[in-house]
Amino acid sequence: MAALQIIADRGIDELTLAEAGQLAGYSRALPAHYFASKDAALIALCDFVVEKYLQRVQRRIPGREGLEGFLERLEHYFDDGRKDPRILRAFHAILGASPGKPALAKSISGLAEASKATFCDFLRAGIARGEIRPDIVPEAEAVWILAALRGVMGQWLNDEEKTPLPKVRDAFVVSVRRALQA
Amino acid sequence: MAALQIIADRGIDELTLAEAGQLAGYSRALPAHYFASKDAALIALCDFVVEKYLQRVQRRIPGREGLEGFLERLEHYFDDGRKDPRILRAFHAILGASPGKPALAKSISGLAEASKATFCDFLRAGIARGEIRPDIVPEAEAVWILAALRGVMGQWLNDEEKTPLPKVRDAFVVSVRRALQA
Amino acid sequence: MAALQIIADRGIDELTLAEAGQLAGYSRALPAHYFASKDAALIALCDFVVEKYLQRVQRRIPGREGLEGFLERLEHYFDDGRKDPRILRAFHAILGASPGKPALAKSISGLAEASKATFCDFLRAGIARGEIRPDIVPEAEAVWILAALRGVMGQWLNDEEKTPLPKVRDAFVVSVRRALQA
Amino acid sequence: MAALQIIADRGIDELTLAEAGQLAGYSRALPAHYFASKDAALIALCDFVVEKYLQRVQRRIPGREGLEGFLERLEHYFDDGRKDPRILRAFHAILGASPGKPALAKSISGLAEASKATFCDFLRAGIARGEIRPDIVPEAEAVWILAALRGVMGQWLNDEEKTPLPKVRDAFVVSVRRALQA
DNA sequence: AATGAATGAGCATTCATTCAT
DNA sequence: GATGAATGAATGCTCATTCAT
């Protein structure tokens, strides 16, 4: 979708239906014709972005299981964002505009829950395997780990130079390992 | 400033100079009179918000030094955001709109650097005191720790119910202690 | 026709071809397919309304002839409008929009001429029977009588409560009788 | 007001705020700037038209009192409309669009009440003077007389040629005299 | 210093119309 | 014959900006 590019580049509020339509090779009026309102269009677009983002992040990575599998997953998160900054930018634009726009908040909230649930599964499996210390509350750990991932990518988007992604990734993985291991 | 309320409640792009002026008890035209352009006004406002936010977060907390002092500081971050959600919301609104608006990005970037520098000071002091493992790269750790703090607060703003702040705070502090301790 | 309902309820300019088509159980595009343009459709619709209205009003009423027959006809006009307000509303909507839309004016003018001609027939017959004073100019009397009928119904449509139709009808009939009788 | 001209010429729904502003020698945006919405602007305009119309029609005419004074007033109504067809056209455009637009209906209804009240005063005075038959219900007579006036002017606007105003006026006055006189 | 008046640019939205199926 | 897709034009409305007090 062409609107994704606009959102990624200039933010959610710079998106105009007219420009989206024209950038997509259609007429100015098409988006307004298909969607009931701009808000509806925005919701559809955001759902699309969020779903696409979810597909990227959630896809099965063949690899180790347990704690190391989880850490690999976190590493993947860092590397993946760099490969397709466009979708990442769009996602973070939506993320940033979410408070105050209840319609978007719902989508965003759903994604967060899904992500945290996946993390929890990994954490519990790690505990069961004796690799992760059993005194953690998976739901609580999942929150800050997801937060760190998103926060780091957000800082990277804000200031690429001051956020050396590979170094941060490695430091994060080592620290999470030490934080969680039994 | 009254504009802060608007930004906190409805986002950066919902801010109109006229409304800001009127909400502040002045005329519609005042903001336009004071500032050269809306962008200039927005920059000034964001600088104001960022600075105020910095003042809150960076203020000296009498307490322990070293690793435990650092962890206390992190705890404080969690608790402080809940006390004054308005300034937190405004800050995150700016944070979210920052990419694609270079003028804001500069402010935001400066704040991030200041925060990370403070963290680095703590981390280095912790290393010097033998409390923090010496193999870390302070600059890299600072990035993800700051990211986690912001990310958690962002999730809390997005979905208050699904983000049990006290539990997450405690889990985070324990995990960071384990991650960093020598 | 479904379009009649729209015109009656919300006025002539609220009519859209798409809505008319859909309300009639067909597709949005049907009206545009049948008629060359919206104006053509509007003319056809108005002719339809006017003709239907004419059928109602002009239909043979078995009853007395002469002055009393004429007065009965006037009474019938009052009563008939209340029985089917929908067609009445549609007709008055067209009537009100007629000036400035030459295409409609033609239809409307034709109807007025037909109505006045009918009235004139009655009036002349009444004169011939010696019931109506011979010094009137039937064409002139017909104008204001028709005008009064339409005007009363128009006021009734505008403010039903303030226009007690039966009382007005009776007063009108008595007054017209006195005005015309020889 | 320039908008009056547009309404008079092409009807209420052809009025665009932009054209009204430009025709008045101002910018396209002025009307939208001053009024909260188009509906609000329309209401204000209609109130203006109605009031101006009321001023014309209600103004004191030095002349006879009683029945003859009333009839003079009716004559004046006919003649006045021809003198300033613009305001008459505008008024009738509003009148025609009134059903289905509750905001306008209120104004219109108020004017009708005022006009009928004036008529009733004349009728009662005529009864008191013994010139008008005492068996009439002034409120009911006022309705159809006002209706006739408006209806005749409406027909004249629709088809000037087929509505010989002076003849109709004279016929109307004679008939009303006969209808009402004691 | 502060304000109201006024404007132009831009946006979402509606709708008649055309076209391909 | 009937329909959905697509478009351009027009409109109400918002808002930053300028100007005259």
Side-chain angles (χ1 to χ4, degrees):
Chain A
M1 226 163 176
L4 196 151
Q5 187 71 40
I6 300 175
I7 285 191
D9 287 349
R10 310 205 309 266
I12 256 190
D13 300 86
E14 299 289 328
L15 173 70
T16 68
L17 295 186
E19 191 184 0
Q22 282 184 314
L23 201 70
Y26 293 97
S27 79
R28 224 171 300 198
L30 232 204
H33 184 70
Y34 271 123
F35 298 100
S37 68
K38 185 185 179 178
D39 269 351
L42 205 56
I43 291 171
L45 173 61
C46 290
D47 283 348
F48 172 78
V49 171
V50 164
E51 189 153 356
K52 207 168 177 189
Y53 187 72
L54 192 62
Q55 284 174 7
R56 284 199 76 89
V57 174
Q58 293 279 45
R59 74 179 162 225
R60 279 274 143 243
I61 313 156
R64 273 168 286 184
E65 300 180 351
L67 177 56
E68 291 308 314
F70 181 56
L71 297 176
E72 264 184 6
R73 185 168 202 87
L74 300 187
E75 274 192 327
H76 168 67
Y77 196 105
F78 282 84
D79 297 336
D80 190 64
R82 273 162 79 197
K83 275 194 215 144
D84 189 355
R86 205 190 53 182
I87 186 87
L88 181 70
R89 297 195 100 92
F91 174 64
H92 273 260
I94 295 172
L95 208 54
S98 173
K101 307 205 177 185
L104 300 188
K106 204 179 163 190
S107 253
I108 290 301
S109 190
L111 173 59
E113 292 311 303
S115 300
K116 287 188 287 184
T118 305
F119 286 6
C120 282
D121 288 346
F122 272 98
L123 293 174
R124 286 198 201 92
I127 294 173
R129 295 161 64 108
E131 295 170 0
I132 294 181
R133 60 186 167 102
D135 61 329
I136 67 166
V137 180
E139 289 78 15
E141 303 289 331
V143 170
W144 74 258
I145 292 174
L146 177 61
L149 291 177
R150 288 188 180 173
V152 168
M153 299 319 286
Q155 286 190 50
W156 179 67
L157 290 175
N158 269 325
D159 194 339
E160 204 167 328
E161 295 182 0
K162 296 282 177 53
T163 310
L165 224 40
K167 283 187 188 173
V168 175
R169 176 199 59 199
D170 295 342
F172 183 63
V173 166
V174 170
S175 280
V176 171
R177 182 183 292 113
R178 293 180 63 105
L180 296 182
Q181 67 193 357
Chain B
M1 223 163 178
L4 195 151
Q5 187 72 41
I6 300 174
I7 286 191
D9 287 348
R10 310 206 307 266
I12 251 188
D13 300 85
E14 299 289 327
L15 174 70
T16 68
L17 295 186
E19 191 186 358
Q22 281 186 314
L23 201 70
Y26 294 95
S27 78
R28 251 186 281 264
L30 231 204
H33 184 70
Y34 270 128
F35 299 100
S37 70
K38 184 186 181 178
D39 271 349
L42 204 56
I43 292 171
L45 172 61
C46 291
D47 283 348
F48 172 78
V49 171
V50 164
E51 188 152 356
K52 205 167 177 190
Y53 186 72
L54 193 61
Q55 283 173 10
R56 281 199 79 87
V57 174
Q58 294 281 45
R59 71 174 165 232
R60 276 281 140 237
I61 311 156
R64 275 168 284 183
E65 298 182 348
L67 177 55
E68 291 308 313
F70 181 56
L71 296 177
E72 265 183 8
R73 185 168 204 85
L74 300 188
E75 274 191 329
H76 169 68
Y77 195 104
F78 282 85
D79 296 334
D80 189 63
R82 271 163 78 195
K83 276 193 216 143
D84 188 357
R86 208 190 52 182
I87 186 85
L88 181 69
R89 296 196 102 90
F91 173 63
H92 274 260
I94 296 174
L95 207 56
S98 172
K101 306 205 177 185
L104 300 187
K106 202 181 161 191
S107 256
I108 290 303
S109 191
L111 172 61
E113 291 311 304
S115 298
K116 288 188 286 183
T118 304
F119 286 5
C120 282
D121 289 346
F122 272 97
L123 293 174
R124 288 199 199 91
I127 294 173
R129 294 160 65 105
E131 296 169 358
I132 293 180
R133 61 187 165 99
D135 61 328
I136 67 164
V137 180
E139 289 77 14
E141 302 290 332
V143 170
W144 74 257
I145 293 173
L146 176 61
L149 291 177
R150 288 186 179 174
V152 168
M153 297 320 284
Q155 285 189 49
W156 180 67
L157 289 176
N158 270 325
D159 195 338
E160 203 166 327
E161 295 183 1
K162 295 285 178 54
T163 311
L165 224 40
K167 284 187 187 172
V168 175
R169 176 198 60 198
D170 295 342
F172 183 62
V173 167
V174 171
S175 280
V176 171
R177 183 185 291 114
R178 293 180 65 106
L180 297 182
Q181 67 192 356
Chain C
M1 223 163 179
L4 195 150
Q5 187 73 41
I6 300 175
I7 286 191
D9 287 347
R10 310 205 307 267
I12 250 188
D13 300 84
E14 299 288 327
L15 174 70
T16 68
L17 295 186
E19 191 186 358
Q22 281 186 315
L23 201 71
Y26 294 95
S27 78
R28 250 186 281 264
L30 231 204
H33 185 69
Y34 270 129
F35 299 99
S37 70
K38 185 187 180 178
D39 270 350
L42 205 56
I43 293 171
L45 172 62
C46 291
D47 284 347
F48 173 77
V49 172
V50 163
E51 187 151 357
K52 206 167 176 190
Y53 187 71
L54 192 60
Q55 284 173 10
R56 282 200 78 86
V57 174
Q58 294 279 47
R59 71 175 165 232
R60 275 281 141 238
I61 312 157
R64 276 168 283 184
E65 298 181 349
L67 178 54
E68 291 307 314
F70 180 56
L71 296 176
E72 266 183 7
R73 184 169 206 84
L74 300 187
E75 274 191 330
H76 169 68
Y77 195 105
F78 281 84
D79 297 335
D80 189 64
R82 272 163 80 197
K83 277 194 215 143
D84 189 357
R86 208 190 52 183
I87 186 85
L88 181 69
R89 296 196 102 89
F91 173 64
H92 274 260
I94 296 173
L95 207 55
S98 172
K101 306 206 177 185
L104 300 187
K106 201 180 162 191
S107 255
I108 291 301
S109 191
L111 172 60
E113 291 312 303
S115 298
K116 287 187 286 182
T118 304
F119 286 4
C120 282
D121 289 346
F122 272 97
L123 294 173
R124 287 198 200 91
I127 295 173
R129 295 160 65 106
E131 297 169 357
I132 294 180
R133 60 188 166 101
D135 61 328
I136 67 165
V137 180
E139 290 76 14
E141 303 290 332
V143 169
W144 74 257
I145 293 174
L146 176 61
L149 290 177
R150 287 187 180 175
V152 168
M153 297 320 284
Q155 285 188 49
W156 180 67
L157 289 177
N158 270 325
D159 195 339
E160 202 166 327
E161 295 184 1
K162 296 284 178 53
T163 311
L165 223 39
K167 285 186 188 173
V168 175
R169 177 199 58 198
D170 295 341
F172 184 62
V173 168
V174 171
S175 281
V176 172
R177 182 184 293 115
R178 293 180 65 103
L180 297 182
Q181 66 193 356
Chain D
M1 228 164 177
L4 197 151
Q5 186 71 41
I6 300 175
I7 285 190
D9 287 348
R10 310 206 306 268
I12 257 191
D13 300 86
E14 299 290 328
L15 173 69
T16 68
L17 296 185
E19 191 184 359
Q22 283 183 313
L23 201 71
Y26 294 97
S27 78
R28 220 170 303 191
L30 231 204
H33 184 70
Y34 271 122
F35 298 99
S37 67
K38 185 185 179 177
D39 269 350
L42 205 56
I43 292 170
L45 173 60
C46 291
D47 283 349
F48 172 77
V49 171
V50 164
E51 189 153 355
K52 207 168 176 189
Y53 187 72
L54 192 61
Q55 283 174 9
R56 285 198 76 89
V57 173
Q58 294 279 46
R59 72 177 163 227
R60 279 274 144 243
I61 313 155
R64 273 169 285 183
E65 300 180 349
L67 178 55
E68 291 308 314
F70 180 56
L71 296 176
E72 264 184 7
R73 185 167 203 88
L74 300 186
E75 275 192 328
H76 168 68
Y77 196 105
F78 282 83
D79 297 336
D80 190 64
R82 273 163 78 196
K83 277 194 217 142
D84 189 356
R86 205 190 53 183
I87 185 88
L88 182 69
R89 297 194 100 90
F91 174 64
H92 273 260
I94 295 172
L95 208 55
S98 173
K101 307 206 177 185
L104 300 187
K106 204 178 163 190
S107 253
I108 290 302
S109 190
L111 172 60
E113 292 311 303
S115 299
K116 287 188 287 184
T118 305
F119 286 6
C120 281
D121 288 347
F122 271 98
L123 294 174
R124 288 198 200 92
I127 294 172
R129 294 161 64 106
E131 297 170 1
I132 293 181
R133 60 187 166 102
D135 61 328
I136 67 165
V137 180
E139 290 77 15
E141 303 288 331
V143 170
W144 74 258
I145 293 175
L146 177 61
L149 291 177
R150 288 188 180 173
V152 168
M153 298 319 285
Q155 286 189 50
W156 180 67
L157 290 175
N158 269 325
D159 195 337
E160 204 166 326
E161 296 183 0
K162 296 281 178 55
T163 311
L165 223 40
K167 284 186 189 173
V168 175
R169 177 199 59 199
D170 295 342
F172 184 63
V173 167
V174 170
S175 281
V176 171
R177 182 184 292 114
R178 293 180 64 105
L180 296 181
Q181 66 193 357

